[in-house]
Amino acid sequence: MKQNAYVLPGAIIALSVAVIVAALNLEEAAPVIVGQGLQPRIFPIFLMVLNIFLALLMFWDFTRKAPNKIPMEGFPTYGSILLFGLFFILSSFVDMFIGIAVVMFLMCRLWGEKRLAVNLTLALVTPIFIFFLFDLVLKIRFPRGLLTDWYYG
């Protein structure tokens, strides 16, 4: 096996362990907030343990057969990374749901979806569904922003 095939699974495992350590340092939520539910830090720990498991599978697969050389990624990949940066800016300074809608619309266009109605529907329905699922069903309030200030009034 090539030496550089260890790099990706190793980096994933190292990042996952760092997130687990950070999550273990989070303060526990008061029982009045979580009730009989799980502590908020459990979810990132669960995801990172799953991540480590998948990285170990990747490592095992790479030991059996070295990964093939893949061609350089195109603009949609790098454009998506830039859109994640735009999402961070919009969700930090405007509103998370406006950020989701704008980035989803632009991501659809970037990856080649030409039908404007499909782009708009996806960009509007998804954040609305996410908001009401978390707010009404899961009873989780979102950080304040332009739209959430209006909704929470």
Side-chain angles (χ1 to χ4, degrees):
M1 180 167 104
K2 292 181 181 176
Q3 204 64 2
N4 60 358
Y6 293 110
V7 174
L8 182 61
I12 291 171
I13 291 171
L15 179 67
S16 299
V17 168
V19 171
I20 289 172
V21 169
L24 287 172
N25 289 323
L26 293 174
E27 292 182 27
E28 289 191 15
V32 72
I33 294 173
V34 294
Q36 297 295 325
L38 296 173
Q39 288 289 325
R41 65 181 173 184
I42 296 299
F43 186 67
I45 292 172
F46 167 74
L47 287 180
M48 293 304 108
V49 168
L50 178 63
N51 219 13
I52 290 171
F53 173 73
L54 293 173
L56 290 172
L57 282 178
M58 181 189 300
F59 176 77
W60 178 71
D61 189 43
F62 286 174
T63 58
R64 292 179 44 232
K65 179 180 175 262
N68 296 332
K69 183 101 170 136
I70 57 173
M72 193 69 168
E73 295 295 328
F75 178 72
T77 302
Y78 297 111
S80 298
I81 294 169
L82 292 173
L83 287 176
F84 290 135
L86 175 64
F87 173 73
F88 174 75
I89 292 167
L90 288 173
S91 63
S92 296
F93 299 107
V94 181
D95 189 276
M96 186 171 79
F97 295 99
I98 292 173
I100 292 172
V102 168
V103 168
M104 285 189 77
F105 177 79
L106 293 174
M107 188 96 50
C108 287
R109 302 299 289 182
L110 180 67
W111 284 93
E113 177 57 57
K114 302 279 189 252
R115 297 170 294 179
L116 189 60
V118 171
N119 297 339
L120 286 172
T121 302
L122 186 64
L124 294 175
V125 170
T126 302
I128 291 169
F129 175 77
I130 291 170
F131 179 79
F132 286 117
L133 172 70
F134 278 82
D135 189 62
L136 300 176
V137 177
L138 301 174
K139 306 287 187 218
I140 296 173
R141 290 178 64 106
F142 285 96
R144 293 300 184 132
L146 193 66
L147 296 177
T148 49
D149 274 346
W150 174 76
Y151 178 79
Y152 293 133

